[in-house]
Amino acid sequence: MPDLFDPIRLGPATLANRIAMAPMTRGRRPDERADAMTARYYGQRATAGLIVTEGTTVSEQARGGVSVPGIWTPEQTAGWRLVTERVHAEGGHVFAQLWHVGRLSHAALQPGGGSPVSSSATPLADDPDNRVFATLEDGVPGFVRATPPRALELAEIADVVGDFAAAARNAIDAGFDGVEIHGANGYLVEQFLNPNINRREDRYGGSIENRSRLAIELVDAVAAAVGADRVGIRLSPFGRGFDNAAYAETVDTYLLLARELQERGVVYVHLNDQRPDGERIDEGFLRAFRSIYSGVLLLAGGLDKTEATDLIARDLIDVAAFGRHFIANPDLVRRLAADHPLAEPDVATFYGGGDAGYVDYPPAERDADAARP
Ligand SMILES: Cc1cc2nc3c(=O)[nH]c(=O)nc-3n(C[C@H](O)[C@H](O)[C@H](O)COP(=O)(O)O)c2cc1C
């Protein structure tokens, strides 16, 4: 029976264990380029079998917040090379999460100060949870209401697909082991999947097939660029964040995706359980998904060692991804193996700022020393 600490094949790679670091935006790069500090942060966490980087934006249009490192320019690509070299030197593997936020943006972040784009011109509710972090005319960054989006034109959808493919090529040039298409958490891909947001009447709207078309085109283009065995995708089937209201065809939508992803041989699917901001991804859904998709299955969202071990032992998932625990516990793998107590992350330093709450969480021995009277 496999457990968390057993190796697993992922396409051409063998991961040292079945513990992944989930993608986490940290908002620490005002120049939007990964740098030596980014490399240090990921290097500290490289005992994870797999690291998935923070969402890295594929174009200027894809941006939804300041200080997020992108992957569409040569300079940004060079910045990420520092990260991959460091992680590989530590024996780890790392995928870049490719991100387009869609309507979760502000005109100040968009090319020419235009409207953010989405499947349709469906605005977000004016809710504090829907705010984006932007720098307005006064030059001071802060949380602001998203600018109402406009619908992408057909030709522009092809451009978005091209941006993902180009970003994937950049990621491989930068030395990444692969890329994860961000299809989760209410961003652009989900804005096409969800009929409460997607009101299109062309081949990208209406039926489940049409609403899934963008996701599948992204997979096809990225796989053509870098090979399906280097492509994963993240999905959050029952997430409700950013106004993703429930819809009746949710399970059918994601099982259709499972079939298409199976056919294309993408190397992994990373399901994100957004509890409590959404319904639980239950055992029945995992079994149904797995009966169709036979690649590596990752699951994230509120996991602890006990639950992760149980899900892997029962063959419901292959790899357990941890988010917040990796922020405060750079040596999470060792701590889990030794049942060492886990440090709690400081929510105030999740996004933005410098070293504090980023690269200064100590490994277990020093943590224990610090706790000693
Ligand atoms: C600070 C922070 C930033 C995050 N940024 C991203 C992101 O860029 N992309 C993404 O897919 N999920 C992101 N997430 C969600 C995490 O990947 C993960 O799914 C979530 O934290 C639940 O896992 P956990 O309970 O182990 O933390 C973020 C979560 C946190 C706490």
Side-chain angles (χ1 to χ4, degrees), residues 101-335:
V101 302
R103 65 179 180 164
L104 261 298
S105 187
H106 188 278
L109 295 161
Q110 291 294 308
S115 302
V117 297
S118 187
S119 53
S120 302
T122 313
L124 287 147
D126 185 13
D127 181 315
D129 286 346
N130 290 338
R131 300 273 150 100
V132 298
F133 199 67
T135 307
L136 304 185
E137 293 82 43
D138 61 7
V140 183
F143 281 98
V144 293
R145 191 177 175 185
T147 306
R150 66 178 178 81
L152 280 163
E153 289 171 17
L154 274 180
E156 292 179 306
I157 295 179
D159 293 339
V160 170
V161 172
D163 289 340
F164 271 81
R169 272 190 291 272
N170 289 345
I172 298 304
D173 280 353
F176 280 105
D177 298 290
V179 296
E180 176 179 288
I181 296 168
H182 194 345
N185 301 358
Y187 295 110
L188 185 68
V189 172
E190 257 203 292
Q191 293 162 30
F192 274 76
L193 291 173
N194 190 323
N196 299 303
I197 302 169
N198 181 349
R199 313 262 185 213
R200 298 182 77 95
E201 290 176 358
D202 58 16
R203 64 180 193 277
Y204 291 91
S207 66
I208 296 176
E209 287 75 11
N210 283 355
R211 283 184 277 109
S212 304
R213 193 176 305 281
L214 175 66
I216 294 162
E217 287 183 355
L218 291 176
V219 168
D220 281 339
V222 171
V226 303
D229 59 352
R230 294 185 186 278
V231 182
I233 184 166
R234 192 168 218 221
L235 302 169
S236 51
F238 307 103
R240 300 280 168 258
F242 298 140
D243 290 357
N244 264 267
Y247 55 100
E249 296 159 324
T250 302
V251 171
D252 291 345
T253 302
Y254 284 89
L255 295 185
L256 175 136
L257 284 172
R259 272 189 293 283
E260 300 289 341
L261 296 169
Q262 170 69 13
E263 214 167 273
R264 286 159 174 81
V266 306
V267 75
Y268 74 72
V269 174
H270 185 175
L271 298 175
N272 185 30
D273 186 327
Q274 285 197 309
R275 279 174 295 169
D277 203 4
E279 295 146 42
R280 194 191 159 96
I281 297 180
D282 64 17
E283 189 174 325
F285 179 81
L286 288 174
R287 285 197 193 286
F289 199 92
R290 217 154 158 69
S291 71
I292 300 169
Y293 174 74
S294 65
V296 173
L297 190 61
L298 279 68
L299 178 69
L303 295 179
D304 60 14
K305 180 179 174 180
T306 308
E307 195 180 0
T309 302
D310 177 63
L311 288 165
I312 290 174
R314 291 199 294 138
D315 199 31
L316 289 167
I317 64 170
D318 298 299
V319 172
F322 297 88
R324 286 160 295 180
H325 285 323
F326 260 113
I327 290 182
N329 301 277
D331 55 345
L332 181 66
V333 174
R334 212 147 55 86
R335 290 196 197 209

Side-chain angles (χ1 to χ4, degrees), residues 333-372:
V333 174
R334 212 147 55 86
R335 290 196 197 209
L336 292 178
D339 288 319
H340 190 282
L342 300 184
E344 284 300 318
D346 173 16
V347 178
T349 53
F350 273 9
Y351 305 104
D355 290 15
Y358 189 52
V359 290
D360 62 349
Y361 286 106
E365 325 71 79
R366 277 201 279 136
D367 203 30
D369 287 348
R372 237 168 249 141

